[in-house]
Amino acid sequence: MKKLTLIAGPCAIEDDQLGFHIAETIKSICNDLSINYVFKASYRKANRSKNNSFTGIGDQKALDIIKNIGKEFNLPTITDIHESSEAKKVSDYVTHLQIPAFLCRQTELLLAAGNTGLTVNIKKGQFLSHEAMGFAVEKVKSTGNNNVWVCERGNSFGYNDLIVDATSMTKLKKHNVPVIMDCTHAVQKPNQTSGVTGGDQSLISSIVFSAVATGADGLFIETHPEPAKAKSDPHTMLKLSELRGVLEKAIKIKEAIK
């Protein structure tokens, strides 16, 4: 059975210690369950609703922390990039690059990411069909880089909600690249009048189980010891203490349908 991949970590680097604690905890879980683990954290949050929202602790400091986490725990790492000018610099600190959903049609960004030679995880825009993601994949592959993943995170459903198509894994697999399910951003309730994105954490496990049952190659799960105290996406992260139980059930589902 092909091993499941987990992309997981805090939404953003918040301080010097949190990322290390989360990475160590998740690595232990993934070793026990035979899951491939990629540590994830944003070094900067460029897409925020309000001007005074938390965006990071400083680019260089956050990138150094992510790189050090990868070295200390011998883990592959991934972070988002937002502009083409970031790709080369950030590629020196991580092993994978991620394209945010809102930016999945940005040609120069996709080409710059592809030119680094790193694996590029492209999140599908909330506004995009599954079929249209093929063009984003083609842009990265046009650089000669075939290390491309696509990541489902739901589609816009009115102004303040998202919906996940149960057939999305099957549709995205037609692009012949690994398919990841973003199980935490998929439960968002965006565009809240408070300026802070809402969400329903109780639905995360349902997204996980559905994705695995329909053939996901990997899961993207943002997690935090105390989500309510997180500086970014507090309403959509899975509590770290709940991660093992969710993954144990996911593995049982995967084994049942192999």
Side-chain angles (χ1 to χ4, degrees):
M1 181 179 66
K2 184 179 178 182
K3 292 173 69 172
L4 192 68
T5 293
L6 175 68
I7 301 172
C11 181
I13 294 295
E14 298 182 3
D15 56 37
D16 295 331
Q17 302 299 321
L18 179 66
F20 288 89
H21 168 61
I22 292 174
E24 183 176 27
T25 301
I26 300 176
K27 181 178 180 179
S28 176
I29 294 170
C30 289
N31 284 346
D32 291 345
L33 299 179
S34 190
I35 295 172
N36 294 322
Y37 176 40
V38 180
F39 173 79
K40 179 271 166 187
S42 296
Y43 78 95
R44 172 164 32 100
K45 302 304 294 184
N47 173 31
R48 302 287 89 184
S49 296
K50 296 195 297 184
N51 190 44
N52 62 351
S53 294
F54 173 79
T55 59
I57 61 173
D59 292 357
Q60 191 60 56
K61 184 177 182 180
L63 286 170
D64 286 337
I65 289 171
I66 294 171
K67 187 171 186 176
N68 289 336
I69 288 171
K71 284 183 176 180
E72 180 164 335
F73 299 109
N74 191 28
L75 290 171
T77 54
I78 189 168
T79 197
D80 313 89
I81 57 172
H82 316 90
E83 299 180 17
S84 56
S85 59
E86 297 175 57
K88 181 63 176 71
K89 177 184 178 180
V90 175
S91 70
D92 292 334
Y93 294 86
V94 294
T95 58
H96 298 57
L97 295 175
Q98 184 163 278
I99 307 299
F102 283 129
L103 303 177
C104 69
R105 288 181 45 155
Q106 297 297 103
T107 301
E108 289 188 7
L109 179 61
L110 291 165
L111 296 179
N115 281 324
T116 67
L118 301 186
T119 297
V120 181
N121 183 37
I122 313 171
K123 287 199 173 184
K124 182 182 73 62
Q126 302 93 319
F127 48 84
L128 214 62
S129 72
H130 302 92
E131 292 75 16
M133 275 300 288
F135 301 117
V137 172
E138 288 173 5
K139 288 177 183 179
V140 176
K141 286 189 173 183
S142 73
T143 67
N145 183 353
N146 292 315
N147 301 313
V148 186
W149 299 349
V150 294
C151 184
E152 170 66 90
R153 49 98 75 238
N155 279 78
S156 296
F157 186 64
Y159 292 115
N160 304 105
D161 207 352
L162 298 172
I163 190 167
V164 178
D165 183 349
T167 66
S168 60
M169 297 295 102
T170 301
K171 292 173 179 175
L172 289 174
K173 278 181 171 290
K174 293 179 181 179
H175 301 307
N176 298 311
V177 296
V179 177
I180 311 296
M181 182 68 224
D182 183 340
C183 305
T184 45
H185 288 100
V187 302
Q188 281 185 342
K189 294 187 181 296
N191 305 317
Q192 300 294 305
T193 56
S194 64
V196 177
T197 297
D200 187 345
Q201 291 145 317
S202 70
L203 301 177
I204 293 172
S205 60
S206 296
I207 301 292
V208 170
F209 303 149
S210 174
V212 173
T214 52
D217 297 295
L219 304 170
F220 178 106
I221 299 176
E222 289 185 339
T223 182
H224 192 285
E226 297 181 89
K229 295 182 179 180
K231 295 181 179 180
S232 180
D233 284 357
H235 302 295
T236 58
M237 282 197 280
L238 182 69
K239 191 171 184 179
L240 185 59
S241 61
E242 298 176 5
L243 181 63
R244 180 182 288 271
V246 171
L247 291 176
E248 286 175 343
K249 291 180 181 178
I251 291 299
K252 289 180 180 178
I253 293 170
K254 186 172 176 62
E255 290 174 346
I257 63 172
K258 65 181 179 179

